[in-house]
Amino acid sequence: MSSNTLQADINEILLGYYVLGGKWKGFQDQANTKRQLNGRKEQVGEKLYKIQSARAEAMSDMTLKWAKQNGYKGKVVKVWWTARPGILSKAVGYDVDSRKNPTDTLLLFADGQFLGVSAKSTKGKGDIGFKNPGVGTV
């Protein structure tokens, strides 16, 4: 697994952690996710881990701000790290083709609305692609 993939995983997982207020309560499949996070931290080292953690924390602030401005109400009550096959479908309760849905971290708000986030962490070079094909009604 490349360093970029490892760092992306760290960013995606910690985004979920930070939107939950810096707590694991509400993070689904918590034990496995923590194990994955710790393994990736060992692989990339403390310096790169801290960079991704800072980016994830900033991303969580902006995600929550955007969500509030766009009609999501209440706190995030559940988070899924959906970057692996089958997790997104399991979270929403029906079959979703993950190849056509870029969600890395799925958030469930207190009002019952889901928000899928495709986390991007760059060094500030190049354009980040944005697309929202949607998952239909959840």
Side-chain angles (χ1 to χ4, degrees):
M1 199 174 289
S2 78
S3 175
N4 287 341
T5 300
L6 297 169
Q7 290 180 69
D9 289 351
I10 292 166
N11 182 267
E12 294 160 6
I13 293 168
L14 290 178
L15 168 62
Y17 171 80
Y18 287 123
V19 297
L20 286 168
K23 298 175 182 162
W24 289 103
K25 184 176 189 234
F27 209 116
Q28 304 305 289
D29 197 16
Q30 185 181 129
N32 178 53
T33 304
K34 284 181 181 179
R35 193 170 36 257
Q36 298 281 343
L37 179 62
N38 290 331
R40 281 148 178 75
K41 182 179 181 179
E42 287 179 21
Q43 290 174 287
V44 303
E46 190 68 30
K47 180 181 177 185
L48 292 177
Y49 179 87
K50 284 183 177 181
I51 290 169
Q52 292 306 321
S53 179
R55 289 178 181 176
E57 189 169 14
M59 191 181 305
S60 75
D61 292 342
M62 294 307 295
T63 298
L64 293 173
K65 181 178 177 181
W66 182 92
K68 185 176 181 179
Q69 292 171 344
N70 286 275
Y72 292 81
K73 295 185 179 20
K75 293 182 177 187
V76 174
V77 294
K78 285 188 183 178
V79 170
W80 293 262
W81 179 43
T82 60
R84 299 300 173 261
I87 303 297
L88 183 58
S89 294
K90 187 177 178 181
V92 298
Y94 62 86
D95 195 34
V96 177
D97 186 348
S98 293
R99 295 170 299 162
K100 296 178 181 175
N101 187 296
T103 297
D104 298 312
T105 308
L106 181 67
L107 315 178
L108 175 63
F109 284 80
D111 66 356
Q113 293 190 82
F114 287 96
L115 176 61
V117 180
S118 178
K120 302 292 179 233
S121 176
T122 70
K123 296 175 183 168
K125 297 178 182 175
D127 290 331
I128 298 173
F130 290 91
K131 76 177 187 181
N132 181 11
V135 293
T137 302
V138 178

